[in-house]
Amino acid sequence: MSNSATPQENTGDGLAQVQRIRTHHLAQAKAAGERFTMLTSYDFMTAELFDQAGIDTLLVGDSASSTVLGHSSSLPITVDELLPMCRAVAAAAKRAFVVVDLPFGSYEESPEQAVRTAVRFMKEGGAHGVKIEADASTAHLAAAVGRAGIPVIGHVGFTPQSEHAMGGYRIQGRGDAAQKVLDDALALEAAGAFCILMEMVPSETATSVDQALTVPTIGIGAGAQTTGQVLVWQDALGLNGGKVAKFVKRYADLRGVMIQAVTDYVQDVRSGAFPAQEHTY
């Protein structure tokens, strides 16, 4: 790569060489058979760490409803609660593409509502794109947002915002139901979504969808054949002390490390070992 190359041009040596991830880089990854990565992030420090580690896309997920705010589902979080998290992540990301979820109740009423909400996240939150849980019947919402010049990821399969309508956290797309996942994905692609995320669908279904689409796919509990993979960072790094889904691989035990570190701090303060002379002015 020459010194004059722009980030947009820096694709010759693969995604890892791109200085600033854009939607077309993700499309090129699929065409080249290359995989890309996504992790959730809700604050400046984790976003900065993940960005430096080479994460390609950061998702300011409505999962913050549970992981940050302590709710039992993604439903309660609001636009005003998610906006400052989005601003913090966008401020930290120097390379990664930043996507934010449109929270439940912020886009379903009409295309106009969907565009207003998405515009807020772009203008006030600094996001690079938005993610919408949708199907064939609501693909027009994604289309409206896309027409406003906002990149859209369509989310199909299990959609957490519809957990009550779906009867809880249940695998989608088994057997004959695989056709619905495919139809929903194709409808969102036709509506202009630049990427499709599939959650909790059988690997065979996800593979069929990925092969049928020209746009890249992201999987979470959707097997290994999607273009990209996403995990909630607290699950992947072992901060979550509760039960995690089958599709989660834990890459660290941050919960254990943090509990031990804080236990040591408590003991040092109580014993007078901290602050020591080297910590004193």
Side-chain angles (χ1 to χ4, degrees):
M1 182 189 74
S2 67
N3 292 334
S4 62
T6 65
Q8 292 89 335
E9 295 167 344
N10 189 9
T11 59
D13 298 321
L15 201 60
Q17 303 303 314
V18 177
Q19 297 173 14
R20 184 58 149 170
I21 300 294
R22 308 288 186 181
T23 57
H24 69 272
H25 294 125
L26 303 181
Q28 290 167 356
K30 176 169 183 173
E34 189 176 2
R35 307 296 173 86
F36 65 83
T37 57
M38 174 184 276
L39 275 179
T40 62
S41 180
Y42 321 101
D43 63 89
F44 182 89
M45 285 192 173
T46 59
E48 184 180 42
L49 289 171
F50 301 160
D51 192 63
Q52 288 184 16
I55 288 294
D56 302 306
T57 54
L58 290 168
L59 173 63
V60 187
D62 57 3
S63 50
S65 183
S66 302
T67 60
V68 178
L69 302 181
H71 298 299
S72 61
S73 75
S74 65
L75 299 180
I77 198 167
T78 66
V79 170
D80 288 337
E81 289 171 329
L82 203 54
L83 266 171
M85 300 183 204
C86 187
R87 275 196 298 271
V89 171
K94 304 306 180 186
R95 174 181 175 274
F97 188 87
V98 178
V99 180
V100 62
D101 273 323
L102 298 193
F104 176 70
S106 71
Y107 63 94
E108 297 92 337
E109 290 180 10
S110 66
E112 292 76 18
Q113 185 200 31
V115 172
R116 281 196 303 270
T117 301
V119 166
R120 286 196 67 190
F121 278 115
M122 301 292 281
K123 288 176 66 70
E124 301 174 43
H128 307 147
V130 302
K131 179 164 76 65
I132 298 178
E133 295 185 10
D135 59 18
S137 70
T138 55
H140 63 288
L141 301 175
V145 174
R147 284 195 297 271
I150 300 171
V152 176
I153 293 179
H155 184 152
V156 302
F158 175 70
T159 47
Q161 293 176 11
S162 303
E163 63 166 299
H164 298 299
M166 290 182 163
Y169 280 66
R170 303 174 63 185
I171 297 172
Q172 304 294 308
R174 282 178 166 158
D176 293 342
Q179 187 62 46
K180 181 181 183 328
V181 177
L182 176 59
D183 291 344
D184 292 341
L186 288 170
L188 285 163
E189 179 184 50
F194 78 91
C195 186
I196 301 297
L197 186 148
M198 292 178 279
E199 181 169 357
M200 288 177 61
V201 301
S203 176
E204 296 82 1
T205 300
T207 299
S208 297
V209 172
D210 181 75
Q211 292 174 347
L213 298 177
T214 59
V215 298
T217 57
I218 302 172
I220 179 166
Q225 300 307 310
T226 53
T227 319
Q229 293 289 333
V230 59
L231 286 174
V232 172
W233 85 260
Q234 290 92 338
D235 293 341
L237 300 187
L239 192 63
N240 180 356
K243 182 179 179 181
V244 297
K246 176 183 178 180
F247 56 74
V248 172
K249 179 177 179 179
R250 281 184 163 161
Y251 287 85
D253 178 23
L254 290 193
R255 186 178 184 87
V257 171
M258 293 176 73
I259 289 175
Q260 185 60 58
V262 174
T263 299
D264 292 346
Y265 169 67
V266 170
Q267 291 175 346
D268 281 359
V269 171
R270 288 175 176 170
S271 69
F274 176 82
Q277 183 61 40
E278 63 265 29
H279 310 120
T280 305
Y281 293 108

